Amino acid sequence: MTEFNSRPFDDDETTGGYDLADRHALRRVGGLSTELRDVTEVEYRALRLERVVLVGVWTDGTLEQAENSLRELALLAETAGSEVLEGLIQRRAKADPATYIGSGKAEELADTVLATGADTVIADGELAPSQLRTLEEICKVKVIDRTALILDIFAQHAKSREGKAQVELAQLEYLLPRLRGWGGNLSRQVGGRAAGGVGIGGRGPGETKIELDRRRIRTRMAKLRREIAEMSKSRVTKRATRRARQVPSVAIAGYTNAGKSSLLNRLTGAGVLVENALFATLDPTVRKAVTPSGRPFTLTDTVGFVRHLPHQLVEAFRSSLEEVAEADLIVHVVDGSDPEPEAQIAAVRQVIAEVDAGDVPELIVINKADAADPMVVSRLRRAHPRSVVVSARTGAGMGELMEQIEAELPQFDRRVHVLVPYAQSALAARVHAEGEVLKTEHRDEGTELVARVPLALAVELEGFEVVPSSH
C-alpha cells in the first residue's frame, strides 16, 4: 500500500513544521499481535488499529468506483496508523443484514484473516451493532466500520480544545447506540440461565452497567454541547466584527488531501500543517489576504470532507462549518490528480448543502495541476467553465486565482482619499472602526486618510475628498 511522505513548505520553522514532526514522532507501531483470541470477550475496546484486512460491498456503480472506494479506505486506515494486508469486495444487490457481506463471504474473510495474521477487519460502510457482533464471532478478531475509522483519525488529529470536544461528542454519539453490540457478553455476568436473560434474574449486573454507561454518556454529551456552544462564541464575535467592518470572507472547502492547507499557505504564508495524509488539518484557520488591487479579505481553511462523512461529525463540527455558511465565497478545491474528481465534488457539495451553505457562491479550483492528467483537467474545465487551474506546490496559477477571487467578492466598499477636519474626529474614528485604513497623515487642517470604507460611510465623506493637484 502507498506510504505517506510529507511535503512541507521550505520554511520548517513554522507551526505546521513542528506539528508535522510531532505527528511523525508519535506514529503507531504496527505488527503487534492481539492479546485475545476472541475479542468479543472484551467489554469496551479502545480503537487500536494494527494489521488490517479491508472488506467492501459493491452494490452500484462500476467496479472501478468500488475499487477506488476501497483504495480510499486503505488510505484512511494508513492515516490511522495501520498496515493494510488485504482488500476484498463482494458484489451484492444490497448489504446482508446479518453479516454485511453474506455468510459464505464472511467465512472466506475469516480464512483471509487467519492466513494473513490480521487482527482487525475494517468494513467500507457503517455497520449495525448486530453486524459487528456477528462478523467478530465469525472472524475472531476486532471488526470496525468506516465511520469508527474516520472518528479515530479525527481523534488523533484534533489539537484545539474545541476540536477535541467536537470529536469526542461525535464519538459518543456513534458509541451510544452500539453499547449493547460492543459489550453484549456483560449480561452473562449473572451466571446460570439468567446469563441469557431467561426468566427471573435476567436483568443482571451487566445490563445495569450498560444503563449506567448510557446515562453517563448522555450527561457527558450534554456537557460537551454546552462547552462547544460557549467556545464558538468567540468565533461568532470575530465574524460579527468582520461583518461590521465589511471585510469579505472566503472559505476554502474541499475533499480531504485536496491541498486546501497548501493553498492557504501559498496565498497567505499561514504556516498551517501540510502533510500528504487524510484529515491532516481539523481546526479552522483564518488568515488575512489582499487582492491584487489592495482590497483585504479573510481566507478560512476548513476541515476536509470525504465520501460518506459520518453525520455525527457533520453535526459536531457544525459550529466550525458555519465559517463556510457565513462566507461570501467558497473556494472549492478539487484534487485534479484524483481518478474520480467528479465524485469528490459531489461529496463536498453534499456536505456544504447539509450545513446550509448551498446558496454561497462557489469557485472551483483544480489543484495539483503539476500531477494531474491533462485530459482530466480538460474534462473538469468543460464541466466548470469558471474554474481555475493551479498548483499550490509550484505556485502556478496563483495570480489568476487571486484575480478571480477579487472578481467574485461582493462589491460593498469604496476606496476614499479624504481630509477630515479635527472638528469631525468622530467621523475619522468611524473610518478606523468600520473601514480598512491604508494611509494616515496628520496635517494642519485635519487628518488625511486613504481607506476602504462601506458605501454608506463613503457617502458621508464625499464633502471631504482630497482633490488631486494638477501640475
Side-chain angles (χ1 to χ4, degrees):
M1 286 293 170
T2 304
E3 294 185 1
F4 293 123
N5 295 313
S6 62
R7 192 172 61 201
F9 276 53
D10 293 336
D11 183 11
D12 290 332
E13 299 301 318
T14 63
T15 303
Y18 289 128
D19 289 346
L20 186 56
D22 290 344
R23 182 78 53 77
H24 285 170
L26 296 174
R27 284 287 192 190
R28 297 181 179 183
V29 178
L32 301 177
S33 60
T34 186
E35 295 86 356
L36 297 171
R37 295 184 63 85
D38 183 357
V39 296
T40 58
E41 297 296 331
V42 183
E43 176 185 340
Y44 296 112
R45 299 186 296 283
L47 196 58
R48 180 175 52 79
L49 307 180
E50 293 161 358
R51 295 164 57 83
V52 303
V53 171
L54 311 179
V55 60
V57 173
W58 172 23
T59 58
D60 54 18
T62 65
L63 176 60
E64 182 182 8
Q65 290 173 329
E67 289 177 346
N68 285 337
S69 180
L70 207 65
R71 288 191 188 99
E72 183 175 86
L73 186 68
L75 288 174
L76 288 167
E78 289 175 355
T79 300
S82 305
E83 178 187 357
V84 179
L85 305 176
E86 188 67 80
L88 305 173
I89 296 177
Q90 169 71 341
R91 184 72 164 105
R92 296 180 62 90
K94 61 179 182 178
D96 182 69
T99 62
Y100 178 64
I101 54 176
S103 57
K105 199 70 174 181
E107 294 294 342
E108 288 183 35
L109 177 62
D111 293 338
T112 302
V113 168
L114 188 62
T116 57
D119 54 25
T120 304
V121 170
I122 305 178
D124 191 15
E126 185 166 334
L127 301 184
S130 59
Q131 291 173 319
L132 281 170
R133 186 166 57 246
T134 303
L135 276 177
E136 287 187 340
E137 289 173 353
I138 294 173
C139 298
K140 305 301 180 185
V141 295
K142 177 172 55 196
V143 177
I144 66 166
D145 58 16
R146 182 187 179 96
T147 299
L149 175 61
I150 294 174
L151 290 172
D152 183 69
I153 295 171
F154 270 63
Q156 290 183 53
H157 291 186
K159 296 184 66 63
S160 69
R161 180 166 166 256
E162 183 179 18
K164 291 177 180 178
Q166 289 170 326
V167 173
E168 184 183 353
L169 176 60
Q171 287 179 313
L172 292 177
E173 287 179 341
Y174 172 80
L175 177 63
L176 187 60
R178 289 168 175 78
L179 280 181
R180 185 181 297 275
W182 283 51
N185 293 337
L186 287 176
S187 59
R188 288 201 287 262
Q189 290 179 4
V190 181
R193 290 177 60 83
V198 179
I200 298 175
R203 290 176 55 82
E207 193 73 20
T208 303
K209 176 164 176 50
I210 289 177
E211 291 171 353
L212 288 172
D213 286 343
R214 284 201 186 103
R215 193 176 305 119
R216 290 192 189 102
I217 286 175
R218 290 193 183 99
T219 302
R220 177 62 179 164
M221 286 169 63
K223 182 180 179 183
L224 285 170
R225 288 193 181 99
R226 289 193 299 270
E227 290 178 356
I228 292 170
E230 191 67 30
M231 285 183 281
S232 67
K233 285 182 180 178
S234 63
R235 188 166 50 249
V236 172
T237 302
K238 291 175 183 176
R239 198 159 55 223
T241 302
R242 294 197 298 267
R243 284 292 175 194
R245 297 180 63 180
Q246 298 198 347
V247 178
S249 172
V250 176
I252 302 178
Y255 212 76
T256 181
N257 206 29
K260 298 181 300 300
S261 296
S262 298
L263 191 66
L264 180 71
N265 286 348
R266 176 65 68 178
L267 294 175
T268 68
V272 177
L273 170 65
V274 176
E275 183 178 9
N276 184 22
L278 306 185
F279 302 115
T281 309
L282 294 188
D283 301 316
T285 303
V286 182
R287 291 293 183 269
K288 179 181 175 181
V290 180
T291 66
S293 69
R295 185 181 182 189
F297 66 97
T298 60
L299 267 174
T300 304
D301 180 21
T302 59
V303 62
F305 304 147
V306 71
R307 275 169 287 208
H308 313 302
L309 187 67
H311 67 88
Q312 296 96 337
L313 277 174
V314 175
E315 288 301 316
F317 276 77
R318 184 169 290 275
S319 60
S320 297
L321 293 173
E322 284 175 0
E323 294 286 352
V324 177
E326 295 290 334
D328 297 299
L329 174 68
I330 296 175
V331 171
H332 182 166
V333 183
V334 181
D335 183 354
S337 65
D338 188 83
E340 288 188 285
E342 292 87 356
Q344 289 193 357
I345 292 173
V348 171
R349 284 177 170 171
Q350 180 181 348
V351 179
I352 287 175
E354 287 184 36
V355 296
D356 303 323
D359 296 332
V360 179
E362 175 192 57
L363 174 62
I364 295 287
V365 177
I366 305 167
N367 192 25
K368 303 187 183 179
D370 54 312
D373 183 343
M375 297 293 290
V376 174
V377 173
S378 298
R379 190 176 75 227
L380 288 171
R381 290 298 299 270
R382 286 194 301 271
H384 308 280
R386 291 172 49 254
S387 60
V388 181
V389 180
V390 304
S391 171
R393 188 177 70 87
T394 65
M398 291 298 152
E400 181 186 355
L401 172 59
M402 290 298 282
E403 290 174 1
Q404 191 67 30
I405 289 175
E406 182 169 29
E408 296 284 343
L409 290 179
Q411 301 298 319
F412 52 37
D413 71 349
R414 182 181 297 172
R415 183 186 176 99
V416 296
H417 185 186
V418 295
L419 181 63
V420 181
Y422 291 120
Q424 300 285 342
S425 59
L427 196 57
R430 284 184 58 195
V431 173
H432 284 276
E434 300 176 24
E436 181 76 14
V437 177
L438 307 177
K439 179 184 175 183
T440 303
E441 190 171 339
H442 297 287
R443 298 186 175 276
D444 294 339
E445 307 87 8
T447 305
E448 184 177 354
L449 297 166
V450 178
R452 288 188 176 274
V453 297
L455 292 177
L457 183 55
V459 172
E460 295 184 49
L461 292 167
E462 284 180 353
F464 306 104
E465 290 178 341
V466 174
V467 179
S469 58
S470 57
H471 291 292

